[in-house]
C-alpha cells in the first residue's frame, strides 16, 4: 500500500488517482495530495518516510520539473517531514519516560522503601 506513493527524480510525479484531489472532506490548506496519499504517509514507518523525503528533496534539487510538479514534490516532502518528526517526538517522549522511571527506581534502590 505504501508503494502507491512514488517520488521520482524525473518529470514523473506521485502515482495515484488524482481525480479525487478536488473532493476535500473538510477545509484544509490547498494541497494536491489526496486523502489516500495523506493516509499512506501517516501510516509509514520512520525509515520509509525518511527515505521518501530524501527522494523528494533530490527530485526538487535536480530540477527539470514543472511548477506544478515542483509544488507537488514540496507538498509530499512537507507531509513526509511531519510524519518523521512526529515519530521521532513519540520516541523521544518514550525515552524520557523510561529515563524518568529509571531515575526514580535508582533513587530507591537498596533502601528499606524498595524492600517493602
Amino acid at each position: 500500500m505504501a508503494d502507491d506513493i512514488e517520488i521520482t527524480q524525473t518529470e514523473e510525479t506521485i502515482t495515484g488517482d488524482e481525480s479525487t484531489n478536488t473532493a476535500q472532506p473538510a477545509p484544509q490548506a490547498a494541497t494536491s495530495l489526496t486523502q489516500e496519499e495523506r493516509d499512506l504517509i501517516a501510516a509509514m514507518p520512520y525509515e520509509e518516510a525518511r527515505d521518501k523525503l530524501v527522494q523528494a528533496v533530490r527530485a526538487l534539487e535536480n530540477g527539470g520539473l514543472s511548477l506544478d510538479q515542483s509544488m507537488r514534490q514540496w507538498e509530499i516532502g512537507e507531509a513526509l517531514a511531519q510524519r518523521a518528526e512526529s515519530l521521532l517526538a513519540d520516541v523521544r517522549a518514550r525515552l524520557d519516560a523510561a529515563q524518568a522511571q529509571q531515575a526514580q527506581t535508582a533513587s530507591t534502590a537498596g533502601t528499606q522503601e524498595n524492600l517493602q
Side-chain angles (χ1 to χ4, degrees):
M1 185 174 235
D3 291 333
D4 290 345
I5 295 182
E6 184 177 314
I7 300 163
T8 60
Q9 295 180 10
T10 63
E11 291 191 21
E12 296 175 31
T13 59
I14 289 182
T15 59
D17 182 11
E18 295 185 26
S19 63
T20 59
N21 287 349
T22 58
Q24 296 293 329
Q28 297 179 4
T31 180
S32 65
L33 299 180
T34 65
Q35 184 62 43
E36 180 182 1
E37 290 168 330
R38 287 191 298 271
D39 292 344
L40 287 171
I41 290 171
M44 282 183 186
Y46 172 78
E47 293 80 4
E48 184 177 358
R50 179 200 60 215
D51 292 346
K52 289 196 179 287
L53 174 57
V54 168
Q55 291 175 5
V57 169
R58 285 185 182 148
L60 288 167
E61 289 176 343
N62 287 339
L65 301 174
S66 69
L67 178 59
D68 288 339
Q69 292 167 330
S70 294
M71 285 300 301
R72 184 158 170 78
Q73 290 298 319
W74 180 79
E75 289 173 355
I76 292 165
E78 284 292 316
L80 291 165
Q82 288 174 4
R83 174 64 179 160
E85 287 176 14
S86 172
L87 290 168
L88 288 174
D90 289 346
V91 170
R92 280 188 202 107
R94 290 182 7 219
L95 286 173
D96 289 345
Q99 287 176 335
Q101 176 72 27
Q102 184 180 22
Q104 182 181 8
T105 303
S107 68
T108 60
T111 65
Q112 191 65 28
E113 227 178 86
N114 194 33
L115 299 175
Q116 295 176 356

